[in-house]
Amino acid sequence: MNGQEWNIAFEKYKQIAQFKYLNSHFTLEDFKFIFFWEWFHRLWARLIGVVFIIPFTIFIIQKRIKREMIRPLIILFLLGALQGLVGWIMVQSGLEDSDLLYVSHYKLAIHFILALGLLCYALWFALQLLIKSRQLLYKQSLRNFIGWIIGLLIVQLVYGAFMAGLKAATAAPTWPDINGSWLPANT
């Protein structure tokens, strides 16, 4: 962007609550720094989409992808697109001229969990390709235990995203205790 475009973007940023109540000390250079990381994040996501869809399309035309792989790969692409859409919606929630200083913690949690789901799906798909079904062993008790562990992990990760989105670490920055106490103080 040229100097005038930077000034216009900075003036728009000055209109939102995050600037008014949190970053009013920001200079144009400070704004450029945070702008760069947001821009890079979006560029990286788009680049991943392009790097996926172009070879995928070429490989389908050249019939280099097995037929049974097409559907899971399309699902993988759609999950990535959904992740990008939710990320865009999340960022928009922090740019509204309201009392929100940060993005919505709900939208942050959804964006985070979708990212982890996307990674899990990619891993699952890769394992499907690497491990033959006849090599798999099933033990129902272990499967149930893993299901409970994964469920507990998801709850903990959502909770962690809420805590990050609500900036809870600023209220209790110590660990493993809570500001010197093992139980939260009554407030």
Side-chain angles (χ1 to χ4, degrees):
M1 292 196 298
N2 64 33
Q4 182 182 2
E5 291 169 332
W6 275 116
N7 286 324
I8 291 169
F10 189 38
E11 288 303 317
K12 287 180 182 177
Y13 178 66
K14 289 179 179 180
Q15 302 307 309
I16 67 171
Q18 188 180 73
F19 177 83
K20 292 175 186 174
Y21 302 115
L22 191 66
N23 296 331
S24 59
H25 64 281
F26 265 27
T27 65
L28 181 59
E29 291 305 311
D30 296 322
F31 172 71
K32 286 180 179 180
F33 179 79
I34 63 170
F35 187 96
F36 168 78
W37 287 109
E38 285 298 324
W39 170 84
F40 184 75
H41 188 125
R42 290 178 185 168
L43 176 69
W44 186 256
R46 290 174 182 146
L47 186 61
I48 289 170
V50 168
V51 167
F52 182 95
I53 200 69
I54 290 174
F56 177 69
T57 305
I58 292 169
F59 291 163
I60 284 184
I61 292 169
Q62 295 176 345
K63 298 187 185 327
R64 294 173 70 184
I65 295 179
K66 294 178 185 175
R67 185 173 210 84
E68 63 270 10
M69 291 173 56
I70 293 173
R71 185 173 176 203
L73 285 170
I74 290 172
I75 291 171
L76 189 63
F77 179 76
L78 292 175
L79 286 173
L82 178 64
Q83 173 66 0
L85 175 66
V86 170
W88 180 77
I89 291 169
M90 178 194 71
V91 169
Q92 287 301 110
S93 73
L95 297 177
E96 297 167 357
D97 189 22
S98 66
D99 291 338
L100 288 177
L101 298 178
Y102 306 104
V103 298
S104 163
H105 60 287
Y106 294 111
K107 294 173 184 173
L108 174 68
I110 292 168
H111 186 56
F112 177 62
I113 294 302
L114 278 175
L116 293 177
L118 177 63
L119 287 172
C120 289
Y121 184 80
L123 175 64
W124 173 83
F125 181 52
L127 290 174
Q128 292 286 323
L129 296 173
L130 293 172
I131 300 172
K132 309 265 188 288
S133 61
R134 66 179 184 277
Q135 294 176 304
L136 296 175
L137 297 174
Y138 293 98
K139 184 153 177 76
Q140 192 60 42
S141 61
L142 182 59
R143 195 173 184 159
N144 291 342
F145 176 72
I146 290 172
W148 279 103
I149 293 294
I150 289 172
L152 182 62
L153 180 62
I154 290 170
V155 168
Q156 180 61 48
L157 290 169
V158 169
Y159 183 72
F162 281 174
M163 294 299 99
L166 292 170
K167 306 293 184 217
T170 58
T174 63
W175 189 87
D177 61 11
I178 305 166
N179 295 334
S181 185
W182 288 103
L183 296 172
N186 292 335
T187 54

